[in-house]
């Protein structure tokens, strides 16, 4: 467990700016700062996800949970810091990462069938300009069976319920056969049955040595679902095994301990950003 | 035409000696102003392109009005008749856009494209019929497509002026309601305002501006008088009220330039000239706009960069002196501490010298620098701010002390005074700040954390 | 003017050119509509004008590659400027588009009017196109005289098919989910510029034949209509192409024939095509099997009738429960006061229930048949289970649950009934103390 705590007196020797990345960590982030419009949304994040863990990212709205996941796979630019996936930059580790975006991020009226969506996870493997072949479709079907949507394969996604749509996304991540899964709010607006089946699937993944990092919003279920938890509010409040880190004090610090000065300073920054 | 008479003609135009020209120019100016005012609200409501769909949708109305009027034996080209037809078709177009968009069957942009193209296509087909009726008089209809101020009569210009004036007055009357609906429709609804009714009112204003603009600017380009002045005004101000005024002014100016140009070169379509004038004004606003213009942005960025460089140099010098406990240090040492090229450091130090904050000695090789009295005070203030901020980040934001220098660097230059005072209060309450706070990390390491300074 | 009778050579070629044009537009059009950038077609079709004008002024002829290149450059400039204004200068995207294309179009018109005195290129053909003149401008391909416009449009059509075919799955992912596309390394930004280039080339090629506004119609309308019919992207493209073809044929036919019926000469085919396309979209909006207004209203009506039938049955069941049997008039009267349903609808429902042998007339009285009793029992069971669940599990006051249960009972199936029963702890009576009928099947 890494408890981030300020030193009580000036440190004699400053540590090197980038500590060593652990090569076997599925996701290792160092000194990462991310800003939108010059307004920092993530401050100096340091994180080493242990392999084979189920990690929940918890924090208030606007804490940068989604941003952290997006920055990890280069979807948003970082101001500083470094991200390593199994010891290498994301660009050379694409195939090992499965990403499940937020459900609102796509247009569900889009004319694609459930099977089409499931196969999308294989597009990088199929390669540019090649068609989605039968082997890919079979793998898509397998993944749909695993999430219990095989009967809906030929349906347009608009005809699915919210929970089924979320499971379609999950099937798409499953076909990627990744070693690290990054999921952005997979439990948002799903029914209880879907939630259970997603959790079941996550455990199944963990039992085969995969790692999943899940942005989560329901504090009630954190203990039951995740073995590690990351408490995030613009900076890392605490990270470690759930039973050690998921404490009232840390939650207090995450949800109420607002850094007013940091907020104000960020405000000042963003004002300078919009009309520099 | 000889040169003398041409010049005379030009002067006539400039001073508006011709009564008819005067009226026409005035009409176009008022149209531009009205377009700017209404367009501002459309822009803030993020619906500017509706104007484009509406203007194209008027064409079948014009054609039908012409056909019906000639069929009944009236003069088909009479302006009120044609504009009535245009009004009907324009309103129908808006209704169809709303219906298509209902239940998200057709997305908003596609609904605009559908209405724009199918209505216009129908208009083209109907004009084809009108052409067979009376090919001589249909020429007047074609001027609706690109605009022709030359064919404007005094009565037309008065109509344009009156409608524009009315539009402007309505906008002023409903100014605060419109502003609220544009800014926060949800809140407006909560306050008991009918967003639908206000939207409809705004749409009818758009339709009226488009309709009276048809003759001067034409179907295809009338959207420009709604969009361009409003988009230009955005570069000058952040306040809605001023934006409305500036957009109105720019629209009027563009209208005036365009109408004058059209009077000088009557062969060119007046619509295109008005739009080119507005486009030119947009380019000027984009470049020189006082609030968001590119030049303004560049100046601001440059000023900030210079200030940050000055503060960096001051801090680097002071820290060098702190480490070596001497009165002066070399420019190389300053450069190394900041991770600058020697050339950069020299420029920064010379800038301090010019300000009287530092004294540069031995210019050329082995340049050394020392701080003047005022320079030391200034540098101490800068360093103090930096270290206060570092302490705050470590204690409260739980930064790693190794990373804190970078975090502090990003922000400290922008910290307002009151935040600094708060910082100081917070830290002194913990009993850690008296005088110049010590650095939370070893100064011998430069921020990059590699080679210590010799 | 084109003669009003059908001429196989002229009209055949006009239809062929129109079809090639409509098909070529429909393909990128689908992608534009899905990307919610339909108006980009409008912007591009206007903004190419200065490119064409400059190309024309430099070379003095209509048919050449310089003009074509100029137009495409102007189109790409529009795309770039629109994005730049949006990102760098923070102009609203719609406004950025409006500013750029109107200014460029105005520039184009001034250039054309000032520079070209010839009738070859006049502003009006920019909007209307010259489809009717296409068969007059022939080139020889393999010894056959073919309209030049047809050759150009056919080439563009094939190019569009090839590019969209090759990058089919990349386009699909980049438009559906750009975040995943970029995570998989499929470069959604590149795909955007590829789509814009396709649109630009298509617009320029088509615009000469049918004029700028009709290009917008061909880009947007078949695609918008196809989206209502298709389940997959391939299906949408196929539908859009089919509709484009119909538009071309029907468009030219109605341009020539319909005015002829009224003793008039033909109207411009391009205009008629846009009108026909609009008509097709309207027809599909009304008649589409799933999304259509008719299907939608039909579903609502059949649910409405079904609920009323079920209410009638349940009412008869409740009367029987109390040992009474009501006359038809009494039944309808009570239902009308409870639900406010129109008398005619209720008579219709009653007749339907009798026809289906669920209700039986016994003189003036109405009684349930065995089959009807079973059916009615299910409805009442749903109702009372809901009342119980709402009161026990959802914690509603027991005098408030009736209204809600009235609505929910019509959408409750066997599975849901079983869940309701188990979640409420297998109740025997509802909150009002009335027994919940059992269901043999459950």
């Amino acid at each position: 467990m890494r408890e981030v705590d300020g030193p009580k007196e000036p440190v004699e020797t400053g540590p090197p700016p980038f500590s060593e990345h652990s090569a076997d960590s599925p996701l290792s982030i160092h000194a990462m700062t991310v800003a939108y419009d010059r307004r920092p949304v993530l401050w100096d994040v340091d994180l080493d996800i242990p392999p084979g863990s189920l990690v929940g990212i918890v924090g208030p709205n606007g804490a940068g949970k989604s941003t952290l996941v997006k920055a990890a796979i280069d979807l948003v630019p970082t101001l500083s810091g470094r991200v390593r996936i199994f010891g290498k930059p994301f660009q050379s580790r694409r195939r090992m990462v499965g990403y499940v975006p937020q459900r609102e991020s796509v247009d569900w009226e889009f004319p694609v069938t459930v099977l089409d969506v499931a196969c999308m996870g294989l597009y990088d493997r199929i390669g540019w300009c090649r068609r989605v072949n039968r082997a890919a479709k079979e793998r898509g079907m397998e993944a749909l069976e695993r999430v219990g949507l095989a009967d809906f394969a030929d349906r347009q996604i608009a005809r699915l319920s919210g929970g089924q749509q979320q499971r379609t996304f999950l099937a798409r991540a499953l076909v990627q056969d990744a070693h690290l899964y990054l999921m952005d709010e997979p439990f948002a607006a799903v029914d209880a049955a879907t939630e259970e089946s997603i959790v079941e699937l996550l455990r199944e993944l963990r039992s085969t040595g995969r790692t999943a990092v899940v942005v989560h919003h329901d504090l009630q279920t954190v203990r039951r679902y995740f073995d590690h938890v990351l408490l995030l509010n613009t900076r890392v409040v605490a990270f470690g095994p759930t039973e050690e880190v998921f404490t009232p004090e840390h939650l207090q610090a995450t949800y109420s301990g607002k850094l007013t000065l940091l907020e104000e300073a960020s405000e000042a920054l963003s004002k300078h950003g919009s009309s520099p | 035409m000889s040169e003398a008479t041409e010049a005379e003609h030009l002067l006539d135009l400039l001073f508006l000696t011709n009564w008819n020209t005067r009226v026409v120019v005035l009409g176009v100016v008022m149209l531009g102003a009205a377009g700017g005012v209404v367009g501002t609200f459309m822009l803030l409501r993020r619906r500017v392109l509706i104007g484009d769909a509406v203007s194209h949708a008027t064409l079948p109305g014009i054609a039908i009005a012409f056909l019906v009027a000639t069929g009944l034996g009236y003069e088909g080209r009479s302006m009120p008749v044609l504009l009535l037809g245009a009004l009907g078709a324009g309103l129908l177009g808006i209704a169809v856009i709303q219906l298509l968009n209902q239940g998200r069957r057709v997305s908003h942009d596609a609904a605009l494209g559908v209405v724009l193209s199918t209505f216009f296509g129908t208009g083209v087909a109907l004009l084809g019929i009108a052409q067979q009726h009376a090919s001589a008089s249909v020429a007047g209809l074609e001027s609706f497509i690109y605009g022709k101020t030359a064919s404007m009569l005094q009565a037309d210009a008065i109509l344009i002026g009156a409608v524009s004036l009315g539009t402007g007055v309505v906008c002023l009357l409903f100014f605060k309601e419109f502003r609220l609906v544009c800014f926060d429709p949800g809140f407006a609804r909560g306050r008991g305002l009918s967003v639908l009714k206000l939207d409809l009112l705004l749409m009818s204003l758009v339709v009226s501006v488009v309709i009276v603009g048809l003759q001067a600017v034409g179907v295809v380009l009338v959207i420009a008088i709604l969009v361009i002045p409003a988009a230009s005004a955005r570069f000058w101000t952040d306040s809605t009220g001023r934006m409305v005024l500036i957009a109105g002014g720019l629209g009027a100016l563009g209208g005036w330039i365009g109408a004058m140009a059209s009077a000088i070169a009557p062969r060119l379509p007046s619509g295109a000239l008005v739009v080119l004038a507005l486009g030119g004004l947009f380019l000027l606003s984009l470049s020189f706009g006082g609030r968001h213009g590119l030049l303004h942005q560049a100046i601001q960025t440059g000023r900030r960069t210079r200030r940050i460089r000055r503060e960096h140099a001051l801090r680097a010098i002071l820290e060098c002196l702190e480490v070596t406990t001497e009165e002066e240090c070399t420019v190389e040492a300053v450069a190394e501490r900041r991770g600058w090229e020697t050339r950069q450091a020299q420029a920064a130090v010379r800038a301090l010298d010019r300000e009287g904050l530092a004294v540069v000695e031995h210019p050329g090789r082995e340049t050394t620098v020392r701080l003047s009295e005022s320079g030391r005070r200034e540098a101490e203030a800068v360093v103090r701010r930096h270290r206060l901020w570092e302490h705050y980040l470590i204690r409260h934001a739980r930064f790693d002390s190794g990373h804190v220098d970078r975090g502090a660097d990003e922000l400290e230059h922008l910290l307002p005074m009151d935040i600094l005072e708060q910082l100081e209060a917070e830290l002194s309450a913990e009993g850690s700040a008296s005088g110049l706070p010590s650095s939370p990390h070893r100064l011998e390491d430069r921020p990059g954390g590699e080679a210590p300074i010799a | 003017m084109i003669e009003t009778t059908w001429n196989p050579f002229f009209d055949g070629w006009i239809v062929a050119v129109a079809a090639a044009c409509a098909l070529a537009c429909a393909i990128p059009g689908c992608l534009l509509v899905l990307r919610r950038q339909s108006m980009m077609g409008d912007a591009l079709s206007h903004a190419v004008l200065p490119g064409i004008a400059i190309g024309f002024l430099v070379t003095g002829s209509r048919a050449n590659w310089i003009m074509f290149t100029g137009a495409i450059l102007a189109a790409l400039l529009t795309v770039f400027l629109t994005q730049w204004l949006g990102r760098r200068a923070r102009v609203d995207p719609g406004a950025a588009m409006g500013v750029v294309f109107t200014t460029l179009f105005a520039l184009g018109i001034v250039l054309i009017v000032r520079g070209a005195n010839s009738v070859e290129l006049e502003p009006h053909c920019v909007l209307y196109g010259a489809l009717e003149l296409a068969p007059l401008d022939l080139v020889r391909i393999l010894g056959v005289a073919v309209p030049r416009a047809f050759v150009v449009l056919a080439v563009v059509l094939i190019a569009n098919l090839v590019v969209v075919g090759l990058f089919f799955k990349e386009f699909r992912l980049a438009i559906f989910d750009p975040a995943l596309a970029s995570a998989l390394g499929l470069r959604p930004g590149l795909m955007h510029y590829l789509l814009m280039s396709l649109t630009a080339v298509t617009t320029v090629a088509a615009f000469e034949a049918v004029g700028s506004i009709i290009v917008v119609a061909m880009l947007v309308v078949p695609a918008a209509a196809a989206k209502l019919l298709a389940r997959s992207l391939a299906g949408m493209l196929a539908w859009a192409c089919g509709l484009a073809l119909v538009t071309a044929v029907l468009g030219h036919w109605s341009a020539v024939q319909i005015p002829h019926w009224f003793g008039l000469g033909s109207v411009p085919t391009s205009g008629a095509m846009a009108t026909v396309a609009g008509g097709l979209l309207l027809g599909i909006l009304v008649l589409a099997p799933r999304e259509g207004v008719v299907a939608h209203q039909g579903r609502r009506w059949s649910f409405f009738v079904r609920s009323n039938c079920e209410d009638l049955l349940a009412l008869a069941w409740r009367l029987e429960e109390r040992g009474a049997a009501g006359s038809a008039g009494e039944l309808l009267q009570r239902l009308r006061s409870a639900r406010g349903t129109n008398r005619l609808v209720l008579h219709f429902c009653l007749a339907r229930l009798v026809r289906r042998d669920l209700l039986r007339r016994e003189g003036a009285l109405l009684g349930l048949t065995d089959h009807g009793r079973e059916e009615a029992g299910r409805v009442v069971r749903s109702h009372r289970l809901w009342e119980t669940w709402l009161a026990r599990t959802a914690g509603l006051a027991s005098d408030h649950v009736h209204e809600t249960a009235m609505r929910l009972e019509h959408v409750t199936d066997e599975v849901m009934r079983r869940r309701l029963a188990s979640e409420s702890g297998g109740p025997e009576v509802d909150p009002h103390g009335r027994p919940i009928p059992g269901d043999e099947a459950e």
Side-chain angles (χ1 to χ4, degrees):
Chain A
M1 167 184 162
R2 193 182 81 93
E3 245 273 38
V4 208
D5 214 339
K8 294 287 174 280
E9 55 199 75
V11 181
E12 277 311 301
T13 48
F18 296 113
S19 7
E20 286 302 308
H21 288 277
S22 129
D24 56 342
S25 169
L27 175 62
S28 143
I29 295 175
H30 277 281
M32 182 171 79
T33 298
V34 182
Y36 289 138
D37 282 345
R38 293 183 62 84
R39 185 201 183 99
V41 288
L42 279 179
W43 275 102
D44 194 56
V45 173
D46 271 351
L47 198 62
D48 270 300
I49 304 273
S53 53
L54 276 184
V55 182
I57 304 182
V58 182
N61 284 336
K65 302 188 295 278
S66 293
T67 310
L68 179 70
V69 167
K70 286 183 188 151
I73 52 172
D74 291 359
L75 286 182
V76 294
T78 55
L79 266 189
S80 63
R82 243 191 262 181
V83 179
R84 289 290 177 270
I85 313 264
F86 294 103
K88 290 262 177 65
F90 170 69
Q91 302 298 337
S92 53
R93 289 282 196 227
R94 269 183 210 289
R95 296 261 169 105
M96 302 182 79
V97 182
Y99 172 54
V100 180
Q102 268 179 29
R103 212 159 59 82
E104 301 83 58
S105 68
V106 303
D107 168 19
W108 289 98
E109 298 283 315
F110 199 92
V112 283
T113 62
V114 174
L115 182 61
D116 284 339
V117 175
C119 293
M120 281 175 183
L122 293 168
Y123 281 10
D124 56 334
R125 264 160 250 213
I126 297 169
W128 284 85
C129 302
R130 300 240 187 86
R131 294 180 54 84
V132 181
N133 52 20
R134 189 180 301 158
K137 286 193 176 149
E138 273 164 17
R139 283 184 61 185
M141 276 310 286
E142 268 169 42
L144 287 179
E145 262 161 42
R146 277 177 78 184
V147 299
L149 283 179
D151 293 342
F152 299 87
D154 215 22
R155 247 193 224 195
Q156 194 195 336
I157 48 167
R159 314 274 136 241
L160 297 181
S161 72
Q164 289 168 332
Q165 290 177 343
Q166 191 67 60
R167 281 190 290 178
T168 313
F169 261 10
L170 214 63
R172 187 173 76 172
L174 285 180
V175 300
Q176 286 181 264
D177 196 25
H179 293 262
L180 167 67
Y181 286 98
L182 300 174
M183 306 188 179
D184 204 344
E185 301 254 12
F187 299 114
V190 303
D191 52 287
T194 300
E195 185 153 337
E196 279 308 319
S197 69
I198 295 177
V199 171
E200 202 47 53
L201 213 65
L202 289 176
R203 296 204 174 118
E204 211 179 299
L205 288 173
R206 181 178 54 184
S207 68
T208 55
R210 317 294 161 97
T211 308
V213 178
V214 179
V215 176
H216 195 55
H217 62 279
D218 182 10
L219 292 178
Q220 309 292 326
T221 49
V222 169
R223 273 180 193 284
R224 266 198 304 132
Y225 292 173
F226 304 108
D227 50 38
H228 281 66
V229 65
L230 167 65
L231 292 165
L232 193 74
N233 188 353
T234 322
R235 80 282 176 216
V236 175
V237 176
F239 173 64
T242 311
E243 62 272 19
E244 288 174 37
V245 167
F246 199 66
T247 58
E249 298 81 61
H250 280 144
L251 282 174
Q252 173 82 12
T254 312
Y255 282 86
S256 63
K258 277 212 159 183
L259 292 165
T260 42
L261 273 175
L262 204 56
E263 292 269 307
E264 279 174 44
S266 300
E267 196 64 43
L269 257 190
S270 80
K271 273 194 195 120
H272 283 271
S274 63
S275 56
Chain B
M1 211 186 288
S2 74
E3 262 184 37
T5 54
E6 201 163 280
E8 233 166 74
H9 180 60
L10 207 67
L11 281 179
D12 275 0
L13 281 170
L14 274 178
F15 295 106
L16 300 177
T17 41
N18 181 330
W19 170 247
N20 198 46
T21 320
R22 197 182 299 178
V23 173
V24 167
V25 169
L26 198 65
V28 179
V29 164
M30 297 197 48
L31 174 71
V37 170
V38 177
T40 303
F41 292 114
M42 292 301 284
L43 178 73
L44 294 176
R45 193 92 181 82
R46 301 182 164 270
R47 297 211 176 148
V48 272
L49 289 180
I50 275 193
D52 199 22
V54 171
S55 67
H56 284 84
T58 55
L59 192 64
I62 294 171
I64 288 174
F66 175 82
L67 283 172
V68 169
T70 31
L72 295 175
Y74 296 104
E75 165 58 49
R77 287 179 57 198
S78 124
M79 194 51 58
V81 172
L82 295 181
L83 292 191
L84 211 62
L87 183 68
L91 291 175
L92 182 67
I94 285 190
V96 173
I97 291 172
Q98 297 287 358
L99 283 178
L100 285 176
N101 202 211
Q102 219 169 47
R104 292 189 304 155
R105 283 205 178 83
V106 177
S107 61
H108 183 68
D109 62 308
L112 291 186
V114 166
V115 167
L116 178 149
S117 58
T118 54
F119 273 60
F120 191 82
T122 310
V124 169
L126 291 172
L127 276 187
I129 291 174
Q131 223 145 18
Q132 297 164 23
H133 255 270
S135 48
S137 62
V138 104
L141 293 187
E142 307 249 311
S143 74
F144 275 113
I145 288 170
Y146 291 114
K148 201 160 207 172
T149 40
S151 69
M152 260 163 75
L153 303 173
Q154 198 173 313
D156 303 337
I158 289 171
L159 179 69
I160 292 177
V163 171
S164 307
L165 200 65
T167 315
V169 169
V170 173
C171 277
L172 290 184
L173 285 178
F174 286 90
F175 174 73
K176 68 177 194 309
E177 283 82 9
F178 280 156
R179 179 167 62 183
L180 190 57
V181 165
C182 293
F183 173 64
D184 188 350
F187 182 73
R189 205 169 286 127
R191 293 295 306 275
L193 287 176
S194 167
V195 175
L196 182 70
K197 278 184 195 153
L198 282 169
D199 263 345
L200 282 179
L201 180 61
L202 197 54
M203 291 300 159
S204 351
L205 293 180
V206 169
V207 175
S208 28
V209 169
V210 164
I211 306 268
V212 295
L214 288 179
Q215 211 187 6
V217 194
V219 166
V220 185
L221 290 174
V222 73
I223 176 68
I225 62 166
L226 287 168
V227 178
I228 303 183
S232 313
R234 190 70 190 83
F235 291 112
W236 293 100
T237 175
D238 278 334
S239 113
T240 315
R242 254 174 262 148
M243 193 173 153
V244 166
L245 288 181
I246 294 172
L250 286 172
L253 186 60
W256 183 73
I257 299 172
M260 297 298 283
S262 164
I264 293 165
R267 210 166 60 88
L268 294 176
S270 58
L273 293 174
V274 170
V275 173
L276 280 182
L278 290 173
L281 290 175
F282 177 82
L283 212 58
L284 284 178
S285 308
L286 170 70
S287 314
F288 305 112
R291 194 88 197 107
H292 299 282
L294 295 179
L295 187 69
H296 175 78
Q297 280 187 24
I299 289 173
Q300 291 282 312
T301 312
R303 201 173 284 164
R304 198 181 57 211
T305 316
R306 271 199 305 283
R307 203 184 68 208
I308 290 177
R309 197 180 60 173
R310 169 176 173 272
E311 293 188 356
H312 277 164
L314 279 173
R315 181 153 65 85
I317 297 171
L318 192 70
E319 281 177 359
C320 277
L321 299 183
E322 237 176 48
V323 170
T324 56
T325 63
E326 279 172 23
E327 279 300 303
E328 53 181 33
C329 65
T330 62
V331 170
E332 277 75 24
V334 174
E336 201 157 352
R337 174 157 286 278
R338 281 294 343 148
W340 281 342
E341 301 279 322
T342 315
R343 204 162 32 82
Q344 269 177 301
Q346 241 157 13
V349 164
R350 264 201 297 277
L352 290 180
D353 194 0
R354 273 198 299 281
E355 254 189 282
L357 297 174
V359 183
V360 178
E361 276 157 18
H362 313 297
R365 284 192 304 152
E366 284 285 308
T367 318
T368 58
V369 59
R370 82 189 144 78
L371 290 171
S372 68
E373 195 63 26
S374 58
R376 181 166 282 271
R377 269 202 309 277
E378 184 74 28
E380 273 171 4
V382 168
V383 169
R384 177 181 181 71
R385 220 180 321 165
H386 178 77
R387 293 196 185 154
L388 278 173
W389 186 238
E390 280 186 331
H391 278 285
Y392 176 79
L393 286 180
I394 288 177
R395 268 177 210 209
H396 298 267
R398 305 174 167 216
F399 267 54
D400 267 5
S401 63
H403 300 163
V404 77
D405 201 56
R406 239 169 308 133
D409 245 23
E410 273 295 315
L411 272 178
E412 59 175 83
H413 308 287
L414 303 164
L415 292 178
M417 228 37 225
D418 52 332
I419 289 192
L420 278 172
E421 277 161 23
Q422 232 177 309
L423 261 177
E424 207 163 330
E426 246 179 71
L427 289 171
S428 68
E430 293 163 16
S432 64
S434 55
L436 195 61
S438 60
S439 170
H441 53 84
R442 212 163 61 141
L443 279 178
E444 280 72 10
D445 289 347
R446 60 161 233 220
E450 282 143 30
I453 298 157
Chain C
M1 197 174 295
I2 304 292
E3 56 272 50
T4 48
T5 48
W6 193 271
N7 174 323
F9 176 77
F10 274 104
D11 293 301
W13 273 126
I14 289 172
V15 169
V17 172
C21 170
L23 285 171
C25 287
I27 294 165
C30 282
L31 302 180
L32 276 184
V33 166
L34 288 176
R35 216 171 173 275
R36 313 210 161 203
Q37 284 201 308
S38 315
M39 292 302 274
M40 203 42 144
D42 179 42
L44 291 189
S45 61
H46 286 95
V48 292
L49 195 62
I52 289 180
I54 290 170
F56 177 73
L57 294 180
V58 168
T59 59
S61 98
R62 270 182 79 130
N64 62 71
W65 287 105
I66 294 177
M67 209 165 96
F68 198 73
T69 320
I72 288 165
L73 287 180
L76 290 178
L77 181 72
T78 311
V79 175
F80 173 77
L81 280 181
T82 304
Q83 280 202 339
W84 184 83
L85 279 180
R87 290 225 180 109
R88 181 74 182 76
R90 290 167 192 254
V91 181
D92 169 83
M97 204 186 268
V99 171
V100 173
F101 90 77
T102 51
T103 310
L104 285 177
F105 188 68
L107 185 68
I109 290 181
V110 169
L111 281 175
I112 286 180
V113 176
R114 270 207 78 82
N117 280 319
S118 65
V119 285
E120 270 190 283
L121 196 69
E122 55 168 326
H124 289 137
C125 82
V126 169
L127 292 174
Y128 302 160
L131 198 51
E132 287 78 5
L133 304 179
L136 301 178
D137 182 9
L138 299 172
V139 290
R140 290 207 155 266
I141 303 269
L142 303 173
V144 187
V146 179
R148 197 182 48 81
F150 181 76
V151 177
V152 172
L153 286 166
V155 169
V156 171
L157 170 60
I158 292 167
N160 281 350
L161 278 173
V162 168
V163 172
V164 173
L166 270 180
F167 296 101
F168 184 72
K169 70 175 196 309
E170 284 81 6
F171 274 126
R172 178 161 63 191
L173 185 55
I175 297 170
F176 174 62
D177 191 346
L180 182 74
S182 130
L184 291 179
L186 291 180
R187 316 282 303 275
L190 198 71
M191 299 316 291
H192 173 57
Y193 267 93
L194 184 60
L195 172 58
M196 287 302 149
S197 312
L198 277 192
T199 313
V201 171
T202 311
T203 307
V204 173
F207 144 102
E208 201 191 333
V210 294
S212 65
I213 305 295
I214 317 304
V215 173
V216 182
M218 294 299 101
L219 281 170
V220 179
V221 186
K227 194 176 175 223
L228 295 170
L229 296 169
R231 264 180 322 145
S232 66
L233 183 55
M236 180 171 165
L237 285 165
W239 271 111
C241 286
L243 290 170
L245 212 58
V246 173
T247 304
V249 177
L250 219 55
H252 184 60
W253 179 81
S254 46
V256 177
Q257 279 303 321
I258 292 178
H260 185 59
W261 293 338
F262 299 98
L264 295 165
S266 65
V267 298
T269 299
S270 53
M273 276 169 71
T275 316
V276 167
L280 285 177
L281 173 65
L282 195 67
I284 288 168
L285 267 175
V286 173
L287 298 173
R290 227 172 37 210
E291 306 271 355
V293 176
V294 169
H296 191 70
Q297 291 302 327
R299 278 196 298 274
R300 275 184 60 176
W301 167 251
S302 77
F303 179 70
F304 179 64
V305 167
R306 189 166 60 83
S307 331
N308 276 300
C309 285
E310 288 181 354
D311 284 347
L312 260 175
L313 279 177
L315 191 58
W317 195 94
R318 289 194 181 100
L319 285 174
E320 207 171 68
E321 186 185 27
R322 283 181 225 155
S327 68
E330 193 190 338
L331 228 62
L332 298 190
Q333 187 54 46
R334 292 180 67 160
L335 206 57
R336 257 181 66 191
S337 58
R339 281 189 56 138
T341 311
N342 186 301
R343 180 196 295 269
L344 279 175
V345 177
L346 285 177
H347 276 290
F348 175 80
C349 292
L350 192 61
R352 188 182 199 179
L353 291 170
V354 171
R355 201 169 57 241
R356 290 195 181 165
D357 200 26
L358 295 166
L359 278 181
R360 192 173 45 219
R361 285 181 197 273
E362 293 157 349
L365 299 179
L366 273 177
L368 288 163
T369 63
D370 289 344
H371 187 43
R373 197 166 292 120
E374 219 174 277
E375 185 78 36
R378 273 198 285 275
V379 179
V380 176
R381 179 174 161 80
S382 300
H383 180 87
R384 294 187 179 166
L385 277 174
W386 268 118
E387 284 191 333
T388 316
W389 187 89
L390 286 169
R392 286 198 198 164
T393 315
L396 262 67
S398 62
D399 52 338
H400 286 180
V401 293
H402 179 75
E403 290 298 313
T404 316
M406 278 294 274
R407 279 197 301 276
L408 294 176
E409 64 186 34
H410 303 296
V411 293
T412 311
D413 62 358
E414 203 180 313
V415 181
M416 212 185 270
R417 275 196 293 274
R418 219 173 292 150
R419 274 183 56 198
L420 282 173
S422 78
E423 278 185 34
S424 327
E428 299 282 322
V429 291
D430 72 1
H432 309 291
R434 283 178 307 237
I436 296 173
D439 196 329
E440 290 79 47
E442 290 167 25

